[in-house]
Amino acid sequence: MAPPIALPETFVRAVAGLRSVTPRAEIVLEEVGAPQRLAPYAFALSATVLRDDDEVATGRLILLHDPAGHEAWRGTLRLVTYVTAELEVDLAADPLLPGVGWTWLVDALEAHDARYRAAGGTITQTLSTKFGELAGPPAAGDIEIRASWTPLGDDLAPHLEAWCALLASTAGLPPPGVTALSERRPAGAA
């Protein structure tokens, strides 16, 4: 049996911060295997966003740590994310969607005081039309957000809270405590 490997304290604190967050009820987090070739130390979470028991968005957040630092990261820690959600066709076709998607990320980081630098990424919008025997609606759209940023400090709880806010925005969930009009019951209904 091999002796346990001592993990760098910065990485241990960063993972503890990620594990400390309890997301809103619609977001289900799960620890998953992290890519092993991107950095000496890595940790990953996957997320599923549910609305009325339907999966409306998914995502993955990967923490990378290189104690020697990485020039492109401008630090020793890096968060990498991939988020995707189905959208209504009209919304998916909107030429402003990529800018809005990037704003969801930046605004979420700022709103949760998740300080960062060296952010970069891509927003992809896709329209698909089904033909023939393929089941489902004839047209569908989706958004894909791929981004990474370097957190300032090793308390990553605010970063996970911001990531959960990004997931909620991408999935079209109302802010916590707000009920969408379509979810309201008529007066006198049980």
Side-chain angles (χ1 to χ4, degrees), residues 93-101 125:
D94 189 329
L96 299 177
L97 180 62
V100 170
Q125 61 195 108

Coordinates of all heavy atoms in Angstrom, one line a residue, residues 93-101 125:
A93 N -31.3 32.4 -31.3 CA -30.9 33.0 -32.6 C -30.5 34.5 -32.3 O -30.1 35.2 -33.3 CB -32.1 33.0 -33.5
D94 N -30.7 35.0 -31.2 CA -30.5 36.4 -30.9 C -29.0 36.7 -31.0 O -28.1 36.1 -30.3 CB -30.9 36.8 -29.5 CG -30.9 38.3 -29.2 OD1 -30.0 39.0 -29.7 OD2 -31.7 38.7 -28.4
P95 N -28.6 37.7 -31.9 CA -27.1 38.0 -32.0 C -26.5 38.6 -30.8 O -25.3 38.6 -30.7 CB -27.1 39.0 -33.2 CG -28.5 39.5 -33.3 CD -29.4 38.5 -32.7
L96 N -27.3 39.0 -29.8 CA -26.7 39.6 -28.6 C -26.5 38.5 -27.5 O -25.9 38.8 -26.5 CB -27.7 40.7 -28.0 CG -28.0 41.9 -28.9 CD1 -29.0 42.8 -28.3 CD2 -26.7 42.6 -29.3
L97 N -26.9 37.3 -27.8 CA -26.8 36.2 -26.8 C -25.4 36.0 -26.3 O -25.1 35.9 -25.1 CB -27.4 34.9 -27.3 CG -27.3 33.7 -26.3 CD1 -28.1 34.0 -25.1 CD2 -27.8 32.5 -27.0
P98 N -24.4 35.9 -27.2 CA -23.0 35.7 -26.6 C -22.5 36.8 -25.6 O -22.0 36.4 -24.6 CB -22.1 35.7 -27.9 CG -23.1 35.3 -29.0 CD -24.4 35.9 -28.6
G99 N -22.8 38.0 -25.9 CA -22.5 39.1 -25.0 C -23.2 39.0 -23.7 O -22.6 39.2 -22.6
V100 N -24.5 38.6 -23.8 CA -25.3 38.4 -22.5 C -24.7 37.2 -21.7 O -24.6 37.3 -20.5 CB -26.8 38.2 -22.9 CG1 -27.6 37.8 -21.7 CG2 -27.3 39.5 -23.5
G101 N -24.4 36.1 -22.4 CA -23.8 35.0 -21.7 C -22.5 35.3 -21.0 O -22.3 34.9 -19.8
Q125 N -23.6 29.7 -29.6 CA -25.0 29.6 -29.7 C -25.2 28.7 -30.9 O -24.6 28.8 -31.9 CB -25.7 30.9 -29.8 CG -25.3 31.7 -31.0 CD -25.8 33.2 -30.9 OE1 -24.9 34.0 -30.7 NE2 -27.1 33.4 -31.0

